[in-house]
Amino acid sequence: GQQLNQSPQSMFIQEGEDVSMNCTSSSIFNTWLWYKQDPGEGPVLLIALYKAGELTSNGRLTAQFGITRKDSFLNISASIPSDVGIYFCAGQLSGHSGYALNFGKGTSLLVTP
Amino acid sequence: DAGVIQSPRHEVTEMGQEVTLRCKPISGHDYLFWYRQTMMRGLELLIYFNNNVPIDDSGMPEDRFSAKMPNASFSTLKIQPSEPRDSAVYFCASSFGTSGRNEQFFGPGTRLTVL
């Protein structure tokens, strides 16, 4: 499937700092999803985006569906230690008749107290 | 509400043995997905079903892999014979695709080790 470019690959920050990560694709997507995965667990859905330009928040998390439909970003404000984990973006190609998602390789986030 | 349930959580087997992974999707969901996660390749879609019918199995690596969904509440992924390179975490996910939204919910995964 279509591979998404997710960056940065890893981040090491201090508690209280804001975090920003993004995903880009060479193809147009009609859905962007952001997941978080803790060690030994499955990915957990954080935010879903369905319209170009859409900006959605979930607590300290904010994500946007890029206006070109080829990118999305996720921001975490005032990070805390439990934000540690791997964050994945996932998208569905525009015009795709099925419901398969394409996943990025993930951003590993480490937060120090 | 119960989420996606997978069993076993861990499986250690020897090369050549048959392995069966099990999944119970969220009740009412009409799509079921099987993924494999490795450090090298990340999350890869193996196969997905809609209303118990396989829709796309292009991600299944080889004939040693097979998946079934005999009813709306149960699916299996079988590897026969297993090989060391099959070692990975296998996830099952489900979604309510008919809603028009593609929010997939993942199970906890099965960590497979083939010796």
Side-chain angles (χ1 to χ4, degrees), chain B residues 9-41:
Chain B
R9 290 294 309 272
H10 302 274
E11 177 80 35
V12 180
T13 190
E14 291 188 344
M15 183 174 63
Q17 296 298 306
E18 177 180 297
V19 175
T20 299
L21 311 181
R22 297 172 176 80
C23 175
K24 177 178 169 55
I26 293 172
S27 178
H29 280 190
D30 53 355
Y31 281 81
L32 184 140
F33 306 81
W34 282 101
Y35 290 88
R36 179 171 66 177
Q37 185 178 41
T38 61
M39 288 292 291
M40 290 295 294
R41 301 173 68 89

Side-chain angles (χ1 to χ4, degrees), chain B residues 33-78:
Chain B
F33 306 81
W34 282 101
Y35 290 88
R36 179 171 66 177
Q37 185 178 41
T38 61
M39 288 292 291
M40 290 295 294
R41 301 173 68 89
L43 269 166
E44 301 175 278
L45 177 66
L46 300 177
I47 184 172
Y48 76 93
F49 297 82
N50 176 217
N51 291 325
N52 315 337
V53 176
I55 301 301
D56 184 353
D57 65 354
S58 59
M60 296 286 261
E62 15 186 312
D63 291 345
R64 298 183 297 105
F65 285 69
S66 62
K68 294 181 179 179
M69 191 166 186
N71 58 63
S73 59
F74 183 66
S75 177
T76 59
L77 178 68
K78 185 177 294 187

